[in-house]
Amino acid sequence: MENGLILGIESSCDETSAAVVKEGREVLSNIIASQVDWHRKFGGVVPEIASRKHVELINPVIEEALEEAGISFSDLSAVAVTYGPGLVGGLLVGIAAAKSIAYANQIPFIPINHIEGHIYSNFIAHKNLEPPLVCLTVSGGHTDLLYFKELGDYQILGRTRDDAAGEAFDKIAKVLGLGYPGGPIIDDLAEKGDSTAIDFPRPLLKKDNYDFSFSGLKTSVLNYINNQKQRGKEIEEANLAASFQQAVVDILTTKIIKAVKEKRVDNVILAGGVASNNQLRAELEAKLAKLNVGLYFPPLKLCTDNAAMISSVGYYHYQQGIKGEYDLNAEPNLRLG
Ligand code: KG4
Ligand code: ZN
């Protein structure tokens, strides 16, 4: 039906989720069944368990999403599903469900990039937010700077040439024996440290492009730790955390500001785990405020994996007539492109 109701399905990791969203921004239901209790005792997501749980949960979750939205399959305009990146077993469960629903109801089946979904959480949360805008999506697996001309249409300005920013946080915390994931731990620790204590490099900071590189910074921090240990010197963990984090924040904010000025946008959005970094948010907000530019990020509830964000992207693809073929496969290593 031409009413802009999109059923979204998300099963790329350890949440089985289905949602109904109207015209990209109005969430009628967003059911999320977390499997975290089944994986916790193994210390991480076990792909085989995840696939089995997705098979068990997918139909009840979809039924609940329709029920809560007060609609039936025949009311849907299209069905959108995450086809990557993620765990192949889980992705295939969602894709099979979406194809069946689309075929049985003769509606379009729309494959969605999970990372794009995370970005669109911002448009669900902030209803009046409109492009053009600049978006930084930064997590444990990627660091991409994008320019959104309009909803459903973006251009990649730059991305990391090696490690993602989150990977550097995780690796440094691991080497210091602080735990996983490293981001929130370093974030807390840095508050107690002096960010000027150690002068770490800021790769590509002054280069006239939007590319990032975090591998050199990470290595430099690891070398510093090794040197201190070899000399029998104590490592001031808070100072190290603060100095490292300052380097990351300087790199990310510099490139964002450069993009804001060049593209002349009024707003910036953030997505991905590293976007919850307190110092990044505070420094960026202050610098953007001086330029009269707004900063937005999704609230916590929409930061974790959920199907509403998938429905939202799906609507804009639907409007543009973009849909999938029935031989579409899962793409575990899909990138933004
Ligand atoms: O988007 P996300 O939850 O998952 C994927 O990587 O797909 O991002 C997780 C990453 C991890 O590397 C984690 O250490 C980092 O985000 N992270 C943070 C913070 N919270 C999470 N990094 C810096 N500061 C934080 N507060
Ligand atoms: Zn995710």
Side-chain angles (χ1 to χ4, degrees), residues 96 136 154 203-204 210 285 289:
L136 176 77
Y154 66 84
L204 305 184
Y210 294 110
E285 197 152 36

Side-chain angles (χ1 to χ4, degrees), residues 31 50-51 55 90 94-95 108 119 132 146 148 190 221 254 261 316 335:
I31 309 300
S51 312
V55 171
I95 292 171
I119 296 168
L146 314 175
F148 267 85
V221 177
T254 302
K261 287 183 175 162
Y316 298 103
R335 300 205 307 174

